[in-house]
Amino acid sequence: MSMRFERVLTAAARPRAVPDYLAGYPPQLREPVFALIEQQRFAEVLLKRYPRAHDVRSDGALYDYVQAVRNRHLKTRAPLSKIGYDATLQLLHKALGTHSTIPRIPGGTLTAKREIPVAGVFRDMPEDFLRMIVVHELAHLKESEHNKAFYQLCQHMEPRYFQLEFDLRAYLTYRDAGGEPLWPSTLVQ
């Protein structure tokens, strides 16, 4: 275990001075996560649930993956022009994925170019986490706001959406507390 992780846990008995990814959850869901981190058992528990990282490593493979999910659930939505991993996304925007509609005026006609950059951290995570963020960003093609209809669409596309989001947030809490990556990259960068 790294010194930073030990210092964070012993100093306050909770991960602090990092984004609180679990802030919106009730204490009865947050506390077990913090307890597992404190007991140094979080990695063991999460690795049992998600034993390996996915094989969607390149931007081209991610494009194909996103298009397959889109074609299955949102065929009538406008096509996506750009999909790829973005290593700076989480650092700059405090986001794990974004969707953007960029207006273009080729030949005097207003059109929209839709893009979905996905945070580079998802390159080294289980497919379930990747699918959760892809479903989230695709749902924005139909529902721009995080409202009831948005989350119903997410759950329609991925029935375990809420559990996957919680597990991802718990993992990010663990990492920000100094925990080591659980699915290290197998690629030389």
Side-chain angles (χ1 to χ4, degrees):
M1 180 186 304
S2 72
M3 291 299 293
R4 178 175 172 248
F5 187 62
E6 289 173 359
R7 186 174 59 248
V8 168
L9 292 180
T10 57
R14 295 285 180 268
R16 291 178 22 157
V18 295
D20 190 354
Y21 293 105
L22 299 174
Y25 293 94
Q28 61 266 28
L29 292 178
R30 295 165 48 105
E31 291 303 319
V33 172
F34 294 138
L36 287 171
I37 292 172
E38 289 171 12
Q39 298 164 6
Q40 301 178 19
R41 292 185 41 237
F42 181 83
E44 171 191 336
V45 170
L46 204 62
L47 283 170
K48 282 183 184 174
R49 192 175 291 170
Y50 308 104
R52 60 183 291 270
H54 60 77
D55 295 325
V56 183
R57 298 289 182 182
S58 68
D59 287 347
L62 179 62
Y63 183 88
D64 293 341
Y65 182 86
V66 172
Q67 290 292 42
V69 174
R70 180 188 160 274
N71 290 338
R72 182 162 185 231
H73 297 287
L74 298 171
K75 290 180 187 176
T76 60
R77 293 287 118 190
L80 298 166
S81 59
K82 184 178 178 184
I83 301 166
Y85 289 110
D86 184 348
T88 63
L89 188 59
Q90 185 177 14
L91 300 174
L92 294 177
H93 302 290
K94 301 291 187 227
L96 299 173
T98 62
H99 63 286
S100 56
T101 302
I102 302 166
R104 300 282 187 229
I105 308 175
T109 305
L110 181 64
T111 60
K113 179 180 166 186
R114 296 180 179 267
E115 298 180 353
I116 297 181
V118 174
V121 298
F122 285 97
R123 195 182 304 258
D124 300 317
M125 287 198 184
E127 183 182 355
D128 288 335
F129 290 174
L130 177 64
R131 188 171 55 251
M132 188 278 306
I133 200 71
V134 165
V135 161
H136 182 98
E137 297 309 327
L138 285 173
H140 279 299
L141 296 177
K142 190 170 182 180
E143 295 289 336
S144 60
E145 300 297 320
H146 290 130
N147 55 27
K148 185 176 180 178
F150 173 84
Y151 287 109
Q152 285 176 337
L153 180 58
C154 287
Q155 196 166 23
H156 170 74
M157 290 191 283
E158 172 50 61
R160 298 182 314 132
Y161 176 83
F162 293 115
Q163 181 64 54
L164 296 174
E165 182 182 29
F166 180 80
D167 289 348
L168 173 62
R169 289 175 175 277
Y171 175 65
L172 294 173
T173 299
Y174 161 81
R175 288 286 290 131
D176 279 350
E180 297 296 323
L182 300 183
W183 307 276
S185 177
T186 56
L187 299 176
V188 177
Q189 307 234 354

